[in-house]
Amino acid sequence: METPLTAAEPMLWSGWGDPAKAAELPPPVRDLLAQLLGVRAPATPAATFGEVRLPPVALPPPVLAALAAIVGDGHVRADDDARIRHTRGKSTPDLLLMRSGDASDAPDAVVLPGSHDEVAAVLRLCAEQRVAVVPFGGGTSVVGGLVAARCGSEGGSEGGSEGGFAGVVALDLARLNRLVSVDPVSMIAELEPGLRAPQAEQLLAAHGLTLGHFPQSYEYATLGGFAAARSSGQASAGYGRFDDMVAGMTVATPRGTLEMGRAPRSAAGPDLRQVFLGSEGAFGVITSLRLRVRRAPDVRAYEGWRFATFAEGTAAMRRLAQQEGPPPTVLRLSDETETMVGLAKPAELGTAGRDSGCLLVAGFEGSPGDVAHRRDGASAVLVEAGGVHLGPEPGDTWARGRFSAPYLRDSLLAAGATVETLETACFWSNLPRLYDAVRLALLGALGSPLVMCHISHVYATGASLYFTVVTAQTGDPLGQWAAAKRAANEAIVQAGGTISHHHGVGRDHREAYAEEIGDLGGEILRGIKERLDPAGILNPGVLIP
């Protein structure tokens, strides 16, 4: 087994990522926000770490002692630092609550198992003692996926309704951080779920390999989280979604262990991997992943293209996705507003207004010959579709800043703006209708917000839409965004889109998800839950209608 050379640093407790990268917006950008949106600095400053309000630890000492007997004394933490850093995820409502000093959803303790057997033993104990368990990877959920319903009755029958749970623990998988094996013949690597994406890439690079999975949460999200939420990376056009990479997995449940995936494809009944991919820890805890890997590319080349309209750029993307030309590894298109504001260049926000139209970024990774071939073929399609080549600078700029947008959100929140993202997907023929419906819903709910959108994941049959919304905070920013989110969710459902393409369901999308899958679909999920987790301890309140 191999472990990463560098340890994963903790996330900023009240924001995103590395605390050293948090920065105030420059005065010109603050002035622009005030002029365009009426953004004003918040009336009260953000709470400091020492001002955070934590509830008392509810878990009885004998339960804490029993957990420590399983994982070791040093691996059960009930101190303020651990509890605060495992409170909620990183959605805008999550951050607004933390910035106000509200940690009322904090777990009672953080448990850090070091093996599959320890995970399984913790789940058995928690089921016996009626302790809710929230599997915790990188803490990057933006859909309310890390908050347990303590009463045990929210979101279905799980957990029963007789008095709720004895407490809540965050099951942090950070110690499960090893590269177990590499099969260079089959191009399969077995990795543990607590590895953050950069650590996994570091370990695989030593073997000349890569996963090729680079979502915006890349710096902090874990492999287990990618699988549990059906993550899709920015290079999905070339490498595929994360769930496409999962050849096999080991899962611990309160009822026992499941081993899945013994062949590249099988006709031996339904594929049980699909029960756990996207299950967000509600059915079991992933303790090992067998993943398809690729040769690390020798060349990475990114470039920009301009299209006159979003519709023209979308048509060009569809042609590439439907194999009219060799597909790029990265393919993303910003609409007119996102291009004008310059969101594809977060470090240069507000400086891109000189460019009209829509910016398309295409990236190519592989051997020099393969990159040249696919670049030439894709360029021919893009030119024929009306694209104007802008050279490598826009693509290189995007690549350098590709993980910086969450830091920009923190800066905007600190300046007094409400800023959040949401995403969906549908078939190509329905994309214009869905795009218009979500935009109109957000405009109607928020008055005069800035609504931006891009397409970043394409398929032969359809694509995703990723919206970013910026507006001035009201006196009740939580209620403000809740109303906008409800309106957007309703628009997505009515316009025929899926409620989530890659963020997951969590708590925020549960009602819309129930409508999407119908009553019988909800019954199926509840049946699986009751069979695998009869005490309802696993992430109660999340996913299950």
Side-chain angles (χ1 to χ4, degrees):
M1 291 190 181
E2 302 172 43
T3 54
L5 299 176
T6 57
E9 295 298 323
M11 288 263 271
L12 177 64
W13 65 275
S14 61
W16 180 264
D18 182 355
K21 294 184 180 179
E24 289 189 8
L25 293 175
V29 175
R30 291 202 302 270
D31 292 343
L32 183 64
L33 289 170
Q35 294 167 15
L36 292 180
L37 301 175
V39 172
R40 298 289 182 268
T44 56
T48 64
F49 192 84
E51 294 172 334
V52 174
R53 303 179 298 279
L54 274 169
V57 173
L59 279 178
V63 174
L64 290 169
L67 289 167
I70 295 171
V71 302
D73 288 334
H75 303 307
V76 176
R77 295 183 57 185
D79 57 279
D80 290 358
D81 185 84
R83 295 179 67 204
I84 290 171
R85 293 185 186 279
H86 290 78
T87 300
R88 308 186 187 95
K90 296 299 181 182
S91 70
T92 289
D94 291 338
L95 299 188
L96 288 169
L97 285 167
M98 294 307 292
R99 291 173 63 84
S100 74
D102 180 347
S104 56
D105 293 321
D108 296 298
V110 179
V111 180
L112 295 102
S115 68
H116 168 85
D117 289 345
E118 290 184 3
V119 172
V122 167
L123 295 186
R124 287 194 299 269
L125 174 68
C126 289
E128 293 168 2
Q129 299 296 323
R130 292 193 51 75
V131 175
V133 177
V134 179
F136 194 97
T140 62
S141 170
V142 292
V143 291
L146 299 175
V147 178
R150 289 176 178 263
C151 68
S153 60
E154 181 182 350
S157 60
E158 69 270 19
S161 56
E162 308 87 10
F165 298 104
V168 176
V169 299
L171 190 71
D172 191 323
L173 301 175
R175 292 177 62 212
L176 275 70
N177 66 343
R178 293 169 286 259
L179 170 60
V180 178
S181 64
V182 174
D183 178 351
V185 176
S186 306
M187 293 297 282
I188 298 289
E190 182 175 358
L191 301 106
E192 292 185 321
L195 280 165
R196 288 187 179 172
Q199 294 177 302
E201 287 295 324
Q202 177 192 60
L203 291 169
L204 290 171
H207 298 268
L209 303 171
T210 183
L211 286 171
H213 192 71
F214 304 104
Q216 198 168 76
S217 60
Y218 168 79
E219 296 171 306
Y220 287 90
T222 62
L223 302 187
F226 290 154
R230 289 190 183 273
S231 174
S232 193
Q234 295 169 339
S236 64
Y239 293 102
R241 293 166 54 94
F242 194 82
D243 45 356
D244 298 329
M245 302 176 188
V246 179
M249 63 172 74
T250 304
V251 178
T253 81
R255 292 284 310 281
T257 295
L258 283 163
E259 294 277 359
M260 292 161 285
R262 58 172 58 195
R265 289 289 187 272
S266 172
D271 187 349
L272 292 181
R273 289 174 298 179
Q274 300 303 322
V275 172
F276 296 95
L277 292 169
S279 66
E280 302 181 37
F283 297 150
V285 178
I286 298 167
T287 58
S288 178
L289 287 160
R290 272 81 72 195
L291 301 175
R292 180 206 71 203
V293 292
R294 303 284 185 90
R295 301 291 179 198
D298 298 315
V299 176
R300 290 184 172 92
Y302 305 98
E303 60 190 22
W305 292 77
R306 182 187 297 124
F307 284 85
T309 67
F310 193 53
E312 290 184 15
T314 300
M317 296 181 89
R318 179 174 62 82
R319 290 179 60 177
L320 288 175
Q322 293 175 344
Q323 303 298 314
E324 289 192 32
T329 308
V330 173
L331 188 60
R332 58 189 294 122
L333 173 72
S334 295
D335 71 0
E336 291 87 347
T337 306
E338 187 170 289
T339 301
M340 176 186 69
V341 172
L343 199 63
K345 307 176 183 180
E348 303 175 29
L349 186 69
T351 66
R354 62 186 182 275
D355 295 329
S356 60
C358 297
L359 174 65
L360 182 146
V361 171
F364 305 87
E365 300 182 6
S367 67
D370 180 54
V371 165
H373 166 71
R374 289 190 292 122
R375 198 174 187 176
D376 290 346
S379 296
V381 173
L382 293 173
V383 168
E384 186 178 321
V388 176
H389 190 231
L390 302 177
E393 189 275 333
D396 290 343
T397 300
W398 169 81
R400 287 193 300 270
R402 64 197 298 188
F403 307 127
S404 61
Y407 293 102
L408 175 60
R409 180 184 59 168
D410 286 356
S411 301
L412 288 165
L413 287 173
T418 293
V419 55
E420 185 57 298
T421 61
L422 56 91
E423 41 79 44
T424 180
C426 69
F427 300 116
W428 287 112
S429 58
N430 196 39
L431 207 67
R433 177 189 175 209
L434 182 62
Y435 173 76
D436 289 339
V438 176
R439 281 180 48 83
L440 289 172
L442 292 169
L443 290 167
L446 294 171
S448 301
L450 189 64
V451 181
M452 300 165 278
C453 183
H454 66 255
I455 298 172
S456 51
H457 308 283
V458 298
Y459 310 92
T461 54
S464 68
L465 291 171
Y466 190 99
F467 293 88
T468 302
V469 189
V470 184
T471 191
Q473 285 182 22
T474 64
D476 178 18
L478 285 169
Q480 177 190 31
W481 179 248
K485 182 73 169 178
R486 280 194 302 272
N489 284 357
E490 291 172 4
I492 288 170
V493 171
Q494 293 172 7
T498 180
I499 196 58
S500 177
H501 173 263
H502 58 269
H503 282 171
V505 175
R507 295 161 67 94
D508 297 354
H509 294 156
R510 197 177 59 205
E511 290 183 11
Y513 178 54
E515 188 169 349
E516 184 172 325
I517 63 174
D519 292 341
L520 183 56
E523 287 183 27
I524 292 170
L525 292 183
R526 289 191 291 274
I528 295 171
K529 176 76 169 176
E530 290 162 7
R531 178 61 64 176
L532 294 174
D533 179 22
I537 62 165
L538 284 170
N539 223 358
V542 168
L543 179 70
I544 310 298

